[in-house]
């Protein structure tokens, strides 16, 4: 579930739209290749994305969907050599990304020992989703991903609850909370539920986020300087890339410290 850009046909740079904003320097409609996309499907300004006004690109993560669509769904034939496949490829990619995101969460849940009571159901979900990612372009674009999420999310929630139950003391519930710009510096959020919480520009400096559930939390421009994210549940690289932190931020071993920190 890690992106392998060398095996992808620049799908995030061509299939997805973006609007001129603080995240992107220009408008680009879906299906139109970015002007910075080179013929070899690499980004011409990759090393300067933030300086050139494209910080949104540095945050994006396809969870490995790009290479799956490029090499499996379309068998390694790119949309430039076969222009007739472009539309279908660009339509499949955002659906595949959602499937791979779900796969990533299910795999993590299966690594949680306290979630053993739901491992059997999680393994079934993993096999099912993986099978869906290997279907035809037509079958993938026809999927109701929201319905699939509705089936998988209760399993992920149960895995989270079983894991966080080990945390002693009172565990805060901020699920879906509006915490935009909140002052949470040094807060004890160990084992808290921050599922889907809006933490845009929140001050989480020095906060204890060990074993907190961060699935779907919006961490854009949140300050994680000195925060402890040991064992944070369902935290993704994209969330970290969107936040701010420093050398003192403690990260789970499976995630990397963003270069811009």
């Amino acid at each position: 579930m890690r992106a392998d850009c060398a095996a992808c046909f620049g799908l995030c740079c061509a299939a997805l739209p973006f609007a001129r904003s603080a995240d992107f320097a220009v408008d680009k409609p879906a299906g139109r290749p970015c002007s910075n996309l080179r013929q070899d499907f690499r980004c011409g300004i990759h090393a300067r994305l933030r300086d050139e006004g494209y910080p949104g690109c540095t945050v994006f993560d396809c969870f490995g969907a790009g290479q799956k669509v490029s090499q499996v769904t379309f068998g390694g034939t790119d949309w430039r050599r076969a222009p007739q496949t472009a539309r279908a490829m660009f339509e499949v990619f955002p659906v595949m990304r959602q499937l791979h995101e779900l796969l990533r969460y299910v795999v993590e849940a299966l690594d949680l020992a306290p979630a053993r009571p739901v491992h059997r159901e999680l393994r079934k979900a993993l096999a099912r989703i993986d099978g869906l990612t290997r279907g035809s372009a037509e079958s993938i674009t026809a999927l109701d991903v929201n319905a699939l999420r509705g089936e998988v999310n209760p399993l992920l929630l149960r895995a989270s609850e079983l894991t966080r139950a080990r945390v002693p003391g009172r565990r805060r519930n901020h699920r879906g909370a509006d915490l935009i710009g909140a002052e949470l510096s040094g807060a004890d959020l160990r084992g808290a539920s921050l599922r889907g919480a809006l933490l845009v520009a929140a001050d989480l400096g020095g906060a204890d986020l060990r074993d907190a559930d961060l699935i779907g939390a919006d961490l854009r421009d949140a300050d994680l300087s000195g925060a402890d994210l040991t064992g944070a549940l369902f935290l993704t690289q994209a969330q970290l890339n969107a936040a701010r932190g420093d050398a003192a931020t403690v990260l789970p071993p499976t995630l990397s410290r963003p270069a811009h920190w």
Side-chain angles (χ1 to χ4, degrees), residues 94-117:
V95 180
M96 185 72 80
R97 182 190 177 277
Q98 293 183 72
L99 294 176
H100 268 240
E101 182 181 20
L102 275 177
L103 281 176
R104 191 258 188 216
Y105 292 144
V106 172
V107 167
E108 179 175 339
L110 282 167
D111 283 338
L112 300 174
R116 191 173 301 277

Side-chain angles (χ1 to χ4, degrees), residues 190-203:
R190 187 178 181 187
S193 175
L194 292 163
R195 297 171 67 89
L198 298 177
L199 289 159
V200 179
D203 183 358

Side-chain angles (χ1 to χ4, degrees), residues 4-215:
D4 180 2
C5 297
C8 176
F9 301 142
L11 296 182
C12 63
C13 307
L16 304 180
F18 51 71
R20 185 173 183 176
S21 62
D23 293 321
F24 299 101
V26 297
D27 292 318
K28 187 192 82 66
R32 178 187 295 173
C34 175
S35 60
N36 297 305
L37 184 65
R38 302 189 320 203
Q39 287 301 308
D40 62 359
F41 299 112
R42 295 180 180 273
C43 175
I45 60 169
H46 187 266
R48 311 188 311 277
L49 281 167
R50 286 184 172 271
D51 294 336
E52 296 285 343
Y54 292 87
C57 296
T58 68
V59 171
F60 181 78
D61 185 357
C62 76
F63 301 100
Q67 66 258 28
K68 176 69 74 64
V69 174
S70 300
Q71 303 302 327
V72 178
T73 314
F74 288 87
T77 300
D78 70 70
W79 50 269
R80 281 190 169 129
R81 285 187 296 162
Q84 71 277 9
T85 67
R87 180 174 179 179
M89 197 177 296
F90 297 163
E91 290 176 346
V92 167
F93 175 65
V95 180
M96 185 72 80
R97 182 190 177 277
Q98 293 183 72
L99 294 176
H100 268 240
E101 182 181 20
L102 275 177
L103 281 176
R104 191 258 188 216
Y105 292 144
V106 172
V107 167
E108 179 175 339
L110 282 167
D111 283 338
L112 300 174
R116 191 173 301 277
V118 290
H119 278 186
R120 181 179 180 183
E121 289 81 4
L122 285 167
R123 283 192 291 270
K124 290 181 180 178
L126 181 66
R128 181 185 175 198
I129 300 168
D130 183 63
L132 292 173
T133 69
R134 299 178 188 280
S136 66
E138 293 77 14
S139 67
I140 293 171
T141 54
L143 286 173
D144 185 342
V145 180
N146 287 333
L148 183 61
R149 284 185 182 276
E151 297 173 18
V152 176
N153 279 341
L155 297 176
L156 300 177
L157 176 59
R158 183 58 179 153
S160 169
E161 291 171 341
L162 288 167
T163 302
R164 291 184 295 111
R166 302 174 307 162
V167 178
R170 177 175 173 268
R171 296 178 297 278
R172 299 191 189 185
N173 183 6
H174 294 302
R175 183 177 183 180
D178 183 349
L179 298 171
I180 295 175
E183 173 52 62
L184 295 167
S185 178
D188 181 4
L189 294 168
R190 187 178 181 187
S193 175
L194 292 163
R195 297 171 67 89
L198 298 177
L199 289 159
V200 179
D203 183 358
L204 290 161
D208 186 350
L209 289 158
R210 288 176 293 169
D211 299 304
D213 186 343
L214 289 162
I215 193 168

